[in-house]
Amino acid sequence: MMKAFKKRGALTHFQILSEISKQDPHLKQKDLAEKLGITIQAVSENIKTLIELGYITSKDGRSPYKITQTGIDKVKKDAISLRKYTDSVLETMNHYKTIWPAIATEKLEKDDIVGLYMDNGVLYAHKKEENATGVVLEGANANMDVALTNLTGIIDMTVGEVTVINVPTIKEGGTKSCDLELIRRIYENGTNTGNKYDKVAIAGTVSRAVAMSLDIPINIEYAAPQATANAARKGLNVLAICVGDMSKAFTRELEHEKIKFNIIDGGK
């Protein structure tokens, strides 16, 4: 924080001096209280202090108030300090808001204008033309993360599809009660629109056993409902195998994110 405003009441002093410096002869303590959002008593106490410090003059502590040269120098010094502080905050905020990470597919130099595209849920940057562009902040080699700013345009991306297969619990027979052939066909045939599944999510031990018995690779296991929805938002198609009531967590998350999905009973 700025040194000039570390002392208690310093900012209020600055505000009062700033208002008095406008040389309004009709300025009253009531006016100052309303502008600063403090009580008239607080204004009175601060003005008394400012008079004692030699920053303002007043007859019997009443208006009209006049700012002294010492007071003017104080306001200028504090205003410069405040401006430097706010400028640094704004610079930090602007820097934070406008930086986006991507993976460079080739060597990129500072200030290169690059095209952006999504592939398998990952944002990539290269020198080819795309519907979305950005400017490279710092150079990066191929397959390295690159910082981008000034993003414009629209990144071509469609929301993925999700299929949720609900399998029996261990009390209901577990894998023995699953229609493994049905689950295999769903995985091999892909989504309703015929697209392959990019990721497979599981929730529950029986689901793991089903995937292992069918030699289906497991990509998502922990926080599966949230991870499934996140993957679909990035354009990935997900097959989710879950046990019993665990399907409710998937449907709740997918409905909340407005992602299309269908549920299939994986039992015999």
Side-chain angles (χ1 to χ4, degrees):
M1 184 62 177
M2 309 83 69
K3 291 181 179 179
F5 297 105
K6 275 191 172 182
K7 291 183 179 179
R8 184 179 180 182
L11 183 57
T12 302
H13 288 176
F14 172 75
Q15 291 174 299
I16 291 175
L17 287 173
S18 298
E19 292 299 325
I20 293 175
S21 68
K22 296 175 183 178
Q23 298 182 349
D24 180 359
H26 305 294
L27 184 66
K28 308 292 184 183
Q29 290 189 8
K30 180 181 178 182
D31 302 323
L32 287 169
E34 290 177 353
K35 287 185 177 182
L36 274 58
I38 59 179
T39 65
I40 295 177
Q41 182 182 356
V43 171
S44 178
E45 291 173 354
N46 278 280
I47 284 179
K48 182 180 178 181
T49 301
L50 292 170
I51 292 173
E52 292 174 352
L53 292 171
Y55 293 144
I56 61 174
T57 60
S58 170
K59 186 176 180 180
D60 300 326
R62 300 177 181 273
S63 62
Y65 305 107
K66 291 185 179 181
I67 188 168
T68 65
Q69 185 59 50
T70 304
I72 291 172
D73 294 339
K74 173 66 173 173
V75 171
K76 285 182 178 180
K77 182 180 177 181
D78 290 351
I80 291 171
S81 176
L82 181 60
R83 183 173 63 188
K84 287 180 178 179
Y85 180 75
T86 54
D87 284 348
S88 68
V89 171
L90 287 172
E91 183 180 351
T92 301
M93 291 301 99
N94 289 334
H95 185 71
Y96 172 79
K97 288 182 179 179
T98 58
I99 292 181
W100 294 78
I103 300 297
T105 63
E106 57 186 304
K107 186 175 182 179
L108 301 176
E109 302 292 345
K110 185 178 184 300
D111 296 328
D112 278 348
I113 297 176
V114 294
L116 306 174
Y117 68 95
M118 292 285 290
D119 183 32
N120 201 30
V122 180
L123 182 65
Y124 290 95
H126 60 183
K127 295 179 182 178
K128 296 179 182 179
E129 186 176 344
E130 300 286 351
N131 290 332
T133 62
V135 178
V136 177
L137 279 175
E138 296 181 11
N141 292 322
N143 300 321
M144 295 294 291
D145 54 312
V146 59
L148 305 170
T149 188
N150 295 340
L151 267 64
T152 58
I154 299 175
I155 299 173
D156 295 325
M157 182 180 67
T158 56
V159 177
E161 299 177 65
V162 177
T163 299
V164 179
I165 300 179
N166 190 232
V167 297
T169 66
I170 193 67
K171 291 182 179 180
E172 297 168 333
T175 308
K176 295 178 182 178
S177 298
C178 292
D179 189 338
L180 296 179
E181 189 56 36
L182 170 66
I183 298 172
R184 183 195 302 276
R185 285 200 309 270
I186 293 171
Y187 174 69
E188 292 177 350
N189 293 338
T191 67
N192 287 340
T193 56
N195 295 314
K196 71 176 183 66
Y197 289 109
D198 301 296
K199 302 291 180 182
V200 174
I202 64 166
T205 302
V206 174
S207 295
R208 171 179 287 279
V210 168
M212 292 176 65
S213 64
L214 295 175
D215 199 26
I216 295 176
I218 299 170
N219 310 111
I220 299 171
E221 181 175 3
Y222 304 106
Q226 294 81 3
T228 295
N230 188 42
R233 281 199 309 271
K234 293 182 178 179
L236 302 181
N237 300 312
V238 183
L239 174 64
I241 306 173
C242 59
V243 180
D245 288 342
M246 291 183 183
S247 61
K248 294 179 181 178
F250 282 88
T251 57
R252 186 166 53 246
E253 193 70 27
L254 295 170
E255 286 173 351
H256 180 263
E257 296 296 332
K258 296 179 173 57
I259 295 170
K260 291 183 179 180
F261 66 94
N262 62 311
I263 299 181
I264 298 174
D265 184 0
K268 292 181 179 178

